[in-house]
């Protein structure tokens, strides 16, 4: 079951400048940064609020590490902006299977590694009314489940 907005993914050309905008304008601080080579991103997670399912909601600021990555290609075409939304669940495998059965393309056969050791998969934007949609099981929830 999808129980929170886990994050909104925002593509940017310069991560440090974009982090500074969110800090100076809204007072949001960086909770976590990492490079995910598989996804081709350098990212900063800004925690906005805790959620009633024990998780949290974040902004995920994304700078591409290479031009041929998903975010690199998207930026070249669209410029900066909202790239995807992510829903949180305790069971990304089960929810991805359920959604696949409804005829929505799930991009990965098995979830891959996302921010902070989470497990993630994506739904094709063309099957989701134009919205690239990510499903996330946080690392804590993964550990609790197994
Ligand atoms: N939102 C909405 N539509 C999008 C999109 C996005 N983020 N990215 C691509 N599209 C649309 C394009 O506009 C294009 O539509 P048209 O054919 O009408 O022009 C169509 O999808 C195909 O786009 P493309 O530029 O040819 O790109 P690809 O098909 O090569 O890749 C996708 C699209 C979704 C399969 C790819 O971006 C992907 O695999 N995404 C998942 C991984 C990802 O985004 N990783 C970065 C974030 C990591 C994280 O969150 O941790
Ligand atoms: Co994301």
């Amino acid at each position: 079951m999808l129980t929170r907005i886990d994050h909104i993914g925002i593509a940017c050309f310069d991560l440090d400048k974009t982090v500074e905008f969110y800090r100076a304008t809204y007072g949001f601080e960086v909770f976590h940064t990492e490079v995910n080579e598989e996804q081709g991103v350098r990212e900063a997670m800004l925690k906005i609020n805790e959620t009633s399912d024990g998780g949290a909601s974040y902004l995920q600021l994304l700078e591409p590490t290479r031009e041929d990555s998903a975010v690199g290609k998207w930026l070249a075409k669209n410029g900066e902006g909202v790239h995807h939304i992510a829903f949180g669940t305790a069971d990304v495998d089960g929810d991805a299977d359920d959604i696949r059965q409804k005829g929505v393309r799930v991009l990965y056969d098995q979830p891959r590694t996302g921010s902070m050791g989470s497990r993630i998969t994506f739904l094709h934007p063309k099957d989701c009314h134009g919205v690239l949609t990510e499903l996330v099981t946080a690392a804590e929830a993964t550990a609790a489940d197994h």
Side-chain angles (χ1 to χ4, degrees), residues 89-101:
T89 168
D91 181 14
V92 62
D93 303 81
D95 285 330
D97 285 346
D98 289 348
I99 290 170
R100 188 184 283 110
Q101 302 254 330

Side-chain angles (χ1 to χ4, degrees), residues 114-141:
S115 307
M116 302 182 282
S118 60
R119 298 177 68 247
I120 63 172
T121 195
F122 289 89
L123 313 179
H124 200 288
K126 292 293 178 190
D127 295 347
C128 301
H129 295 265
V131 178
L132 175 60
T133 304
E134 179 181 351
L135 308 180
V136 183
T137 295
E140 296 80 3

Side-chain angles (χ1 to χ4, degrees), residues 28-142:
F28 297 149
E29 300 288 346
V30 173
F31 181 77
H32 175 83
T33 57
E34 71 182 85
V35 173
N36 185 329
E37 283 298 352
E38 185 178 35
Q39 294 293 336
V41 295
R42 188 163 82 92
E43 62 175 76
M45 297 296 275
L46 315 183
K47 192 189 237 183
I48 308 303
N49 59 278
E50 312 278 341
T51 54
S52 58
D53 60 0
S57 296
Y58 303 85
L59 295 183
Q60 181 185 43
L61 306 180
L62 299 159
E63 177 192 86
T65 58
R66 45 178 199 271
E67 283 178 12
D68 67 347
S69 62
V71 173
K73 284 174 60 179
W74 190 87
L75 270 172
K77 190 171 163 187
N78 302 287
E80 296 185 313
V82 175
H83 179 257
H84 65 273
I85 63 169
F87 296 122
T89 168
D91 181 14
V92 62
D93 303 81
D95 285 330
D97 285 346
D98 289 348
I99 290 170
R100 188 184 283 110
Q101 302 254 330
K102 296 176 185 176
V104 174
R105 277 170 288 172
V106 177
L107 296 184
Y108 305 149
D109 290 340
Q110 298 295 328
R112 296 183 185 174
T113 302
S115 307
M116 302 182 282
S118 60
R119 298 177 68 247
I120 63 172
T121 195
F122 289 89
L123 313 179
H124 200 288
K126 292 293 178 190
D127 295 347
C128 301
H129 295 265
V131 178
L132 175 60
T133 304
E134 179 181 351
L135 308 180
V136 183
T137 295
E140 296 80 3
T142 306

